[in-house]
Amino acid sequence: MGREQQQVSYTVEQLVSVNPYNPDILTDLENYVNEQVSSQTYSLDANLCLLRLYQFEPGRMSIPIVVQILIKALMAMPASDFSLCLFLIPEQVQMEEKFKTLIVLSHYLETARFRQFWDEAAKSRSILEVVPGFEQAIQAYAIHVLSLTYQKVPRPVLAEAINIEGLSLDKFIEHHVANSGWVLEKSHGRSQLIVLPRNEFNHPELQKHTAEGVPFEHVTRIFPMLS
């Protein structure tokens, strides 16, 4: 009895690390996916483990659980979690309509086609609404992409990328001005400009090149070794 109680006290992460190919933990992993959804947490390792177990136990695969895993993976962008998860899902399953939709959404995000993404997401609300926080996670990813591209982003570009307009957009911008280092710049044109924080991508001069930190005499010593 004491041994059983000790096993119950194991966390899902411990179960995965100790014996990731044990089919007996499959139900625990499925419950953990539901817990991630309800608590808005995320564990890629546990989800990958479950998808691997489904490969060995295809008859036990839960389509709703797999859908939730892929949605959570989309929310983790720019990480490549979606591709990692998709690789473990059989092709015949990927041909189902829900999975086709998620693959299309992933493609739009990877290529920063945000207008198409939000249009498709609106049509697929019944699929996506099962995971709370999805919209906010994608908005955060869109801002990440904009910060790599723009020093100053026009208001309409921001609005399209995060799918917010009007007063809601005003409040969104005000929040980031107060908390994320954004600065509003008055433009002579009609479009408001938002100055984004400097980084090595939108300000290439901030990049640190390895060669700049290597003394010349060290470089000259390398060339004879290469010849």
Side-chain angles (χ1 to χ4, degrees), residues 110-147:
E110 289 174 354
T111 54
R113 296 160 66 183
F114 293 113
R115 176 184 294 175
Q116 291 92 329
F117 169 84
W118 291 115
D119 287 346
E120 185 66 29
K123 300 174 187 175
S124 312
R125 190 172 299 276
S126 61
I127 301 174
L128 303 172
E129 65 184 2
V130 299
V131 179
F134 177 79
E135 190 171 291
Q136 292 79 4
I138 301 305
Q139 288 168 345
Y141 167 68
I143 291 171
H144 165 76
V145 172
L146 292 178
S147 72

Side-chain angles (χ1 to χ4, degrees), residues 12-13 16 29 32-33 36 43-51:
V12 173
E13 287 83 359
V16 169
L29 291 172
Y32 192 47
V33 172
Q36 292 174 56
S43 174
L44 174 64
D45 290 339
N47 295 345
L48 289 175
C49 181
L50 177 57
L51 293 176

Side-chain angles (χ1 to χ4, degrees), residues 143-153 182 194-207:
I143 291 171
H144 165 76
V145 172
L146 292 178
S147 72
L148 301 182
T149 310
Y150 289 91
Q151 297 177 3
K152 302 176 182 179
V153 58
W182 291 12
I194 298 97
V195 182
L196 301 177
R198 293 161 58 92
N199 60 66
E200 63 180 1
F201 297 99
N202 63 16
H203 285 268
E205 68 275 10
L206 297 179
Q207 293 182 4

Side-chain angles (χ1 to χ4, degrees), residues 62-122:
S62 168
I63 295 301
I65 289 290
V66 178
V67 168
Q68 290 181 75
I69 288 175
L70 287 180
I71 294 175
K72 294 291 283 187
L74 278 180
M75 294 166 64
M77 291 190 74
S80 58
D81 297 14
F82 187 86
S83 297
L84 293 174
C85 293
L86 195 65
F87 180 76
L88 297 174
I89 299 173
E91 289 187 14
Q92 64 268 26
V93 176
Q94 295 184 30
M95 294 305 294
E96 294 191 21
E97 203 60 38
K98 289 182 178 181
F99 294 98
K100 286 183 179 180
T101 297
L102 293 174
I103 292 170
V104 168
L105 290 174
S106 171
H107 176 67
Y108 285 151
L109 290 178
E110 289 174 354
T111 54
R113 296 160 66 183
F114 293 113
R115 176 184 294 175
Q116 291 92 329
F117 169 84
W118 291 115
D119 287 346
E120 185 66 29

